[in-house]
Amino acid sequence: MNMAWRHWDIRYLAVIASLLLSGLSALNASLPNDDAYTYLRTAEIFLNDGIGAAISHYTWAGYPILMGIASLSGLSLLQAAYTLNAMFYGLLVFSYISIVQQIDNSRLTAYLGAVTVLAYPELNEYRDMVIRDIGYWSLCLFAIWRFMIYRDSRQFSALATFVIVMIAAALFRAEALLYLLAIPLVLLLDRRFTVAENQMAVWKALGLTAIISALGILTARTVGINIPTMLLKLIAVYEPFLAQWSTPTEITLASQAKAIFGDFSALIASDYLHTAVLLGLPVILFTSLFYTIGGPYFWLLVFGAVRGMLRWEVEQIRPLFVVAMVNFLITLGFLYLTRFLTGRYAMMFGIMVSMMVPVLWQEILTRFRSPETVRTLRLLFIVFFSYCMIDAYVTFGRSKDWLVDSASFAKTATPDGAQILTNNHTIAYLSDRVTEYDEVTRELRSSDILKLSPGTLIALELIPEIRQLVNQEPVQAQIKLLAAFPDRDEPQAVIYERVSPQN
């Protein structure tokens, strides 16, 4: 029995563990994340009106369309999203360990790779979220693994899998197309083959990419999907940012400076705001990269680098280096263009760097073999990954039941088909009283309230801007407080009724 267990492929055991962790995360998920409502609404539109309408609502609609298809099995859209994400996490874990084995093909490293990916805090904290990135990451990793096999064997089947899967990843995020074009270039540096063989391998990769892409575009056109137009629309989203980047307004610069430097931004002269913002953005970038890798993994790798314990074959990690560099440039460009950054955009960089963690642990565990040292290392190993697991899967945030209560109150207090005004996606979605719940804006104007007809309910999350709004005299005169959640002493959300001034 024990011998049979030892011969199990650790990748499949890790996938089973990943599915269980995803199931637990979904069961313990409190409320959908803000991005979820865009995907849920797009999936609803796909189910009701078809692919064209879904793409019109949300240009890059691959993920919500897949959610809609999965829901045809009888699941709710939210359940379908969690199921898809669990499957994608399983694929991600499988691919991660497979890549680690390509770097160091030892059983110990494979086990360490399994522990590393399952305990990776910044990666696993998204398990209870509805985001397209999970499918994008998992398919990219699977494609990278197949490319590494093609690099070593030059098998056409491995190349075809790499191209097809990376194109599939691009249905979730278009950035995958950059990896598809950049990764094959590492073949030119492979010293195990002649220059001519390497050039031929690259041309095969690029040629197959062109053929499959063309076939995909033509096939999509037959069902009314114009992929080139979709790409142009995606690029057009950034045009306002580009115009603002070249000639930013003083108000824009002031808000950006405040986001970067906080209250210290008031000390910066207006003439130097633009320069200060440009110099401050790298701080945001490197802070984001640090958090994406994660403090425990980052400092462990720093320790390994200082002690000279980070050892690998350059040939083996070259594809990972290219992916990390491309993602770094994407993240850098996005940050300087939009002045905004979330850790998800740099996640591919973090994943590539994290693959050195199991290699380093393997070196540490095999280098020190004395009984006392082994016991100490085992204890450190357990403490290290226990901390990472807690960080990844245990949530210490405050309960947001007040949002559910607010939505329930609004739904109960209004008839079916009624519309309410709210600034919170969750209240809009759960109350079933806002048709376009994904387009709810956080900040409202006094005119949004004053133009409502008497009797309309107004459910508001009390962010600072909203607190100021409801305290304005013209607004106060035309609203009546009905309820506050979680309580009236420290309300986080309030329910008002629009009333006539004479009331």
Side-chain angles (χ1 to χ4, degrees), residues 421-423 441-446 448-449 460 466 469:
L421 176 68
T422 183
N423 68 327
T441 57
R442 294 280 287 168
E443 298 180 24
L444 299 175
R445 297 167 297 180
S446 59
D448 295 321
I449 293 176
L460 301 174
I466 295 298
L469 175 65

Side-chain angles (χ1 to χ4, degrees), residues 387-400:
Y387 173 84
C388 291
M389 290 290 287
I390 292 171
D391 191 14
Y393 298 103
V394 179
T395 301
F396 298 99
R398 293 182 179 181
S399 170
K400 290 195 174 182

Side-chain angles (χ1 to χ4, degrees), residues 213-483:
S213 298
L215 290 174
I217 290 171
L218 292 173
T219 302
R221 286 296 295 269
T222 62
V223 294
I225 302 174
N226 192 322
I227 293 178
T229 300
M230 288 169 59
L231 282 170
L232 291 174
K233 285 184 179 179
L234 197 65
I235 295 171
V237 171
Y238 299 99
E239 285 184 6
F241 294 107
L242 189 60
Q244 200 175 71
W245 186 86
S246 58
T247 56
T249 64
E250 189 170 329
I251 295 176
T252 300
L253 287 173
S255 63
Q256 292 170 353
K258 186 172 178 59
I260 297 171
F261 303 108
D263 293 336
F264 292 104
S265 62
L267 303 176
I268 304 173
S270 58
D271 292 342
Y272 299 101
L273 273 179
H274 196 190
T275 302
V277 167
L278 293 178
L279 293 176
L281 290 177
V283 177
I284 294 178
L285 175 64
F286 289 108
T287 301
S288 179
L289 293 178
F290 170 80
Y291 283 115
T292 300
I293 298 168
Y297 288 4
F298 176 83
W299 293 117
L300 178 67
L301 292 172
V302 169
F303 167 79
V306 171
R307 296 294 298 269
M309 301 176 70
L310 280 175
R311 300 178 182 275
W312 58 76
E313 292 290 334
V314 175
E315 199 68 52
Q316 297 298 327
I317 70 161
R318 193 173 282 139
L320 309 187
F321 178 78
V322 169
V323 172
M325 285 304 301
V326 170
N327 186 240
F328 175 84
L329 294 174
I330 291 172
T331 305
L332 180 66
F334 186 85
L335 175 62
Y336 269 87
L337 185 61
T338 66
R339 307 292 201 268
F340 169 78
L341 191 62
T342 175
R344 298 206 306 267
Y345 296 153
M347 197 69 239
M348 284 297 293
F349 179 91
I351 292 172
M352 296 301 106
V353 173
S354 74
M355 289 180 181
M356 296 299 102
V357 170
V359 177
L360 175 57
W361 267 113
Q362 192 269 350
E363 178 69 18
I364 292 172
L365 294 174
T366 55
R367 179 178 293 193
F368 303 103
R369 295 179 177 274
S370 66
E372 290 185 0
T373 306
V374 167
R375 282 194 295 270
T376 302
L377 285 176
R378 285 177 179 173
L379 179 61
L380 287 173
F381 180 87
I382 293 171
V383 171
F384 178 84
F385 280 110
S386 295
Y387 173 84
C388 291
M389 290 290 287
I390 292 171
D391 191 14
Y393 298 103
V394 179
T395 301
F396 298 99
R398 293 182 179 181
S399 170
K400 290 195 174 182
D401 288 343
W402 50 272
L403 282 174
V404 179
D405 296 337
S406 301
S408 297
F409 184 97
K411 187 172 185 177
T412 304
T414 53
D416 290 343
Q419 292 289 300
I420 66 170
L421 176 68
T422 183
N423 68 327
N424 183 277
H425 290 100
T426 300
I427 295 175
Y429 178 72
L430 295 180
S431 69
D432 197 28
R433 295 295 182 263
V434 180
T435 305
E436 297 176 345
Y437 54 81
D438 59 319
E439 297 181 8
V440 165
T441 57
R442 294 280 287 168
E443 298 180 24
L444 299 175
R445 297 167 297 180
S446 59
S447 59
D448 295 321
I449 293 176
L450 299 179
K451 71 182 180 182
L452 297 173
S453 58
T456 303
L457 254 61
I458 307 164
L460 301 174
E461 179 187 353
L462 290 177
I463 61 175
E465 294 81 2
I466 295 298
R467 290 181 188 272
Q468 293 176 7
L469 175 65
V470 297
N471 285 327
Q472 294 176 11
E473 288 187 13
V475 174
Q476 276 190 330
Q478 301 194 44
I479 56 176
K480 175 184 176 183
L481 181 64
L482 300 180

Side-chain angles (χ1 to χ4, degrees), residues 41-247:
R41 177 65 181 147
T42 306
E44 288 177 357
I45 292 172
F46 162 70
L47 291 172
N48 294 328
D49 303 314
I51 292 178
I55 292 173
S56 296
H57 183 75
Y58 181 70
T59 302
W60 218 250
Y63 177 55
I65 287 172
L66 193 58
M67 284 169 50
I69 293 172
S71 73
L72 296 176
S73 64
L75 298 172
S76 70
L77 285 173
L78 201 55
Q79 290 170 338
Y82 286 135
T83 301
L84 285 172
N85 287 355
M87 294 171 62
F88 282 131
Y89 260 112
L91 178 62
L92 187 153
V93 167
F94 180 91
S95 304
Y96 187 101
I97 301 169
S98 299
I99 293 173
V100 168
Q101 287 179 312
Q102 291 292 126
I103 299 172
D104 185 336
N105 191 23
S106 72
R107 194 164 184 79
L108 175 59
T109 306
Y111 276 91
L112 292 169
V115 175
T116 299
V117 68
L118 290 172
Y120 189 172
E122 281 62 34
L123 176 63
N124 290 292
E125 68 181 12
Y126 298 110
R127 282 185 183 268
D128 62 350
M129 293 189 184
V130 179
I131 52 173
R132 58 179 175 162
D133 305 71
I134 300 167
Y136 163 66
W137 298 330
S138 64
L139 292 170
C140 281
L141 288 188
F142 188 83
I144 292 166
W145 170 51
R146 299 309 298 174
F147 173 81
M148 294 175 80
I149 292 176
Y150 172 68
R151 175 201 59 192
D152 296 335
S153 65
R154 302 298 167 96
Q155 294 177 354
F156 181 78
S157 59
L159 173 62
T161 306
F162 161 70
V163 173
I164 292 170
V165 175
M166 195 61 88
I167 290 175
L171 297 178
F172 291 80
R173 293 198 72 95
E175 296 95 305
L177 297 175
L178 298 177
Y179 300 128
L180 181 58
L181 297 175
I183 292 175
L185 300 180
V186 305
L187 297 172
L188 297 173
L189 303 176
D190 196 333
R191 296 180 179 180
R192 295 169 298 177
F193 298 87
T194 66
V195 172
E197 288 173 329
N198 288 336
Q199 290 175 344
M200 180 57 67
V202 172
W203 282 115
K204 280 184 181 178
L206 297 179
L208 186 61
T209 297
I211 292 170
I212 294 178
S213 298
L215 290 174
I217 290 171
L218 292 173
T219 302
R221 286 296 295 269
T222 62
V223 294
I225 302 174
N226 192 322
I227 293 178
T229 300
M230 288 169 59
L231 282 170
L232 291 174
K233 285 184 179 179
L234 197 65
I235 295 171
V237 171
Y238 299 99
E239 285 184 6
F241 294 107
L242 189 60
Q244 200 175 71
W245 186 86
S246 58
T247 56

